[in-house]
Amino acid sequence: MAENRECASASSCSRESCEGCPSKAGAPQSMIEECNPFSSVKRVIGVVSGKGGVGKSFVTASLAAAMRQKGYEVGILDADVTGPSIPKMFGLHGPAEGSEMGLFPIAGADGTKVMSLNLLMEDEEAPVVWRGPVIASTVKQFWHDVYWGDLDYLFVDMPPGTGDVPLTVFQSIPVNGIVIVTSPQELVQLIVKKAVHMAEMMEIPVLGLVENYSYLKCPDCGKEISLFGKSHVEEAAASLNIPVLGKMPLDPKYAKLADEGKFHEIKNPYLADAIQKVEEL
């Protein structure tokens, strides 16, 4: 009897397409979400890392600032919902407002448009204690419910790892390519490979690697000091057949700009190859 009821229910289903249903013939349906109907985003660049604390937001903000300085219309979707730092770096505070066209991102001093959960919260210091599906749903809303306007580039600052949010971004947003951020330690090879293999599984192009914390330049003699040991980024990149797009030193000036909310003023020559790669898309 249970089987009959189940069959009757299935046969009376009025939906034309049920994702994953074994009775659905043909190719799988795309999971890509529609962009906000009042917006046009030409290219989407994800900035990812296999582990936390490697400077992913720093690279995201640097790339966005550089493309803005070149005259492009740029936005940043802060997908690191539980650890947002982009608004602070650009000196932005909410609350973000909206209309029937969607939720409006907040523009920095240079015109870079930013949407982050911190711009929607009454208390910016309150923790976001949400489960993965809720966070993933929020990221999708930042894509289709935010009025981005006309953008040449939208950079997505993703949380570390290969969990719910990176998976949601790769499946729901038409990402044109990703930049992987790493650090010099030998452990990096394993971490980078995980990120690259996930991108390959999702058929997302990997533009290349950026290494942060590569060295500290002595202000007196100019000697480069490898605080985190010898770099292994070239070895990792060669084994995966992807380019190294930049090696960035520790520089107190960059930290000062971030703390003061003036990151739009940054000049980061170490990312010249990454900027060129993004511009070629």
Side-chain angles (χ1 to χ4, degrees):
M1 293 294 291
E3 290 182 1
N4 290 338
R5 284 196 298 270
E6 185 175 287
C7 290
S9 175
S11 64
S12 62
C13 178
S14 61
R15 294 184 61 183
E16 295 180 359
S17 173
C18 297
E19 192 69 35
C21 178
S23 64
K24 177 65 179 174
Q29 298 295 307
S30 172
M31 298 176 67
I32 295 295
E33 297 276 341
E34 293 289 336
C35 184
N36 176 272
F38 302 100
S39 304
S40 173
V41 179
K42 294 179 181 177
R43 304 170 192 85
V44 180
I45 311 297
V47 181
V48 308
S49 62
K51 63 187 294 296
V54 298
K56 171 182 47 56
S57 297
F58 172 77
V59 172
T60 302
S62 295
L63 290 174
M67 300 309 286
R68 185 67 186 137
Q69 289 162 15
K70 281 178 166 283
Y72 294 105
E73 294 296 326
V74 177
I76 301 178
L77 190 162
D78 190 356
D80 195 353
V81 173
T82 60
S85 54
I86 295 295
K88 169 69 175 177
M89 297 173 74
F90 283 84
L92 302 179
H93 303 279
E97 300 178 348
S99 71
E100 67 280 357
M101 300 176 72
L103 190 63
F104 299 149
I106 296 181
D110 65 340
T112 298
K113 298 177 180 178
V114 175
M115 178 47 64
S116 171
L117 188 64
N118 253 27
L119 300 178
L120 301 175
M121 299 181 65
E122 293 184 6
D123 181 1
E124 295 179 352
E125 298 180 355
V128 178
V129 188
W130 292 353
R131 295 191 182 275
V134 179
I135 296 174
S137 177
T138 300
V139 171
K140 287 197 289 187
Q141 287 182 296
F142 284 172
W143 171 246
H144 62 67
D145 288 352
V146 171
Y147 174 58
W148 291 104
D150 294 328
L151 294 184
D152 295 304
Y153 294 96
L154 177 66
F155 292 92
V156 183
D157 183 19
M158 290 204 271
T162 56
D164 283 342
V165 173
L167 181 61
T168 296
V169 171
F170 288 164
Q171 289 183 327
S172 305
I173 300 176
V175 179
N176 298 100
I178 64 168
V179 173
I180 299 176
V181 184
T182 185
S183 55
Q185 298 96 323
E186 189 171 359
L187 174 65
V188 72
Q189 295 193 40
L190 175 63
I191 301 302
V192 167
K193 287 177 180 178
K194 285 180 180 291
V196 170
H197 292 330
M198 180 181 186
E200 290 174 346
M201 290 172 60
M202 306 304 297
E203 300 182 347
I204 304 295
V206 178
L207 304 183
L209 300 180
V210 170
E211 183 182 78
N212 197 17
Y213 312 136
S214 295
Y215 55 89
L216 174 66
K217 183 173 287 188
C218 176
D220 297 322
C221 67
K223 179 181 178 181
E224 294 182 0
I225 305 168
S226 299
L227 292 177
F228 294 96
K230 180 183 176 183
S231 172
H232 294 273
V233 69
E234 283 89 358
E235 300 167 24
S239 68
L240 295 163
N241 195 31
I242 55 178
V244 175
L245 299 178
K247 299 178 70 174
M248 300 185 299
L250 286 160
D251 192 328
K253 292 183 296 185
Y254 294 161
K256 186 172 184 292
L257 287 174
D259 290 342
E260 293 177 349
K262 298 178 180 179
F263 209 79
H264 63 280
E265 297 178 2
I266 191 172
K267 304 293 183 182
N268 192 338
Y270 308 101
L271 289 177
D273 289 345
I275 293 164
Q276 181 179 346
K277 194 77 171 181
V278 169
E279 201 167 16
E280 289 173 353
L281 281 174

